[in-house]
Amino acid sequence: MSSPLPTDVAQAVAAGRKAVSIDAAMIAKLTDMAGDFAINLTIAILIFVATVFAAKWAARAARNALSRVKGFRHDPTVLSFAVQVVRVVVFIIGMIAVLQRLGVQTTSIIAVLGAASLAVGLALQGTLSNVASGIMLLVLRPYRVGDIVDVGGMNGTVQRLDLFTTQLSNANNHKIVIPNSKVLSDALTNLTGQQTRRIEINFTVGYGDDLNRARKALVDMAEAHEAVLQDPPPWTGVTGLLDSSVQVTLHAWVKVGDWWQTQADLMQGGKEALDAAGIEIPFPHQVAVPYGDHDPSSAIPGATASVTAFKAS
């Protein structure tokens, strides 16, 4: 009877050779995978570095290009926002290319980000409405930094326009922060949106005074002021018949930057011009009125019964 040892040895040798061949194949496959990963990682790093430089270059190129546009040149807030958008867009494109090079399925990531964005959007509706309103304000541009605006009864100079808020500074140097959604939804008045602005001052004269002489005195005074524009010329007219006086209105056009001081000058100059022309401006007087035969001022020292009357010329 022959021994089974040679057969067992042959089987063991064959199994060993098979195991060695499998190990060699696995090692070769792992080596190939490591080599491919190293190559992809190197390319991904190069893409990332190129993305950083491309984002900086694109932002710089966008700033230089937009600086030549008149609308962007005088509005640093809009210019900075546009440059930031360009930088972020380039960076996002580069990161997608990096992930794809590393074998990451970007479609699934985009789907997850979309679902997360929907959840975040539902939770932050008010905040996102301010962002959307900020973008609309940047597109529509009803005002620029440095303009004087009135929003819902709050007025001041625009200091900054962010994605979320608009910052104003009023005449007392108070900082006013208004959500962009409120700015976009409320009525907005841009007081310096035009190159010229009209001054309107109401004067009152007595019923017995010469109205034509009063109007001429006001017009001559306004025309003599160096800041008042001659086109359109100053205008005056009777705009009201009040209880004890006649209202005469003066209109004068000035450049936007001269409005405040010129209005004060014309108000003072109008009073002086009417005085010089002999036109009296009615003003309230207090007179004592006795009650029957009894004078209340004699009973109480310093006390008078008074009514308001207007002195007429």
Side-chain angles (χ1 to χ4, degrees), residues 231-277:
D231 186 20
W235 174 89
T236 58
V238 176
T239 56
L241 300 176
L242 308 181
D243 292 339
S244 302
S245 61
V246 178
Q247 179 174 280
V248 179
T249 301
L250 169 66
H251 288 171
W253 289 87
V254 296
K255 294 182 178 180
V256 170
D258 300 331
W259 191 86
W260 285 103
Q261 185 59 49
T262 306
Q263 179 183 238
D265 294 343
L266 294 184
M267 195 170 295
Q268 176 181 346
K271 167 66 168 59
E272 296 173 349
L274 293 177
D275 291 343

Side-chain angles (χ1 to χ4, degrees), residues 75 137 141-161 165-171 174 176-180 182-184 186-194 197 256 260:
D75 199 337
L137 290 173
R141 305 194 58 200
Y143 56 82
R144 299 185 304 177
V145 173
D147 287 348
I148 300 176
V149 299
D150 186 296
V151 181
M154 296 175 289
N155 60 77
T157 304
V158 179
Q159 299 292 326
R160 185 179 180 86
L161 173 60
T165 60
T166 295
Q167 297 181 13
L168 308 179
S169 176
N170 63 10
H174 296 162
I176 303 173
V177 180
I178 308 174
N180 287 334
K182 181 176 177 60
V183 176
L184 193 63
D186 285 356
L188 185 147
T189 303
N190 192 335
L191 301 178
T192 56
Q194 307 294 335
R197 187 176 176 184
V256 170
W260 285 103

Side-chain angles (χ1 to χ4, degrees), residues 43-52 54-55 87-106 109-110 113:
I43 296 177
I45 293 174
L46 293 177
I47 293 175
F48 178 76
V49 174
T51 299
V52 174
R87 182 185 293 109
V88 171
V89 169
V90 174
F91 192 79
I92 290 175
I93 294 174
M95 291 305 299
I96 292 175
V98 169
L99 293 176
Q100 287 181 341
R101 193 64 192 181
L102 293 176
V104 179
Q105 295 296 327
T106 55
I109 294 178
I110 293 174
L113 290 177

Side-chain angles (χ1 to χ4, degrees), residues 60-76:
R60 189 181 307 110
R63 183 179 296 276
N64 293 334
L66 295 176
S67 297
R68 299 187 183 96
V69 180
K70 182 179 179 180
F72 288 94
R73 186 189 312 132
H74 301 292
D75 199 337

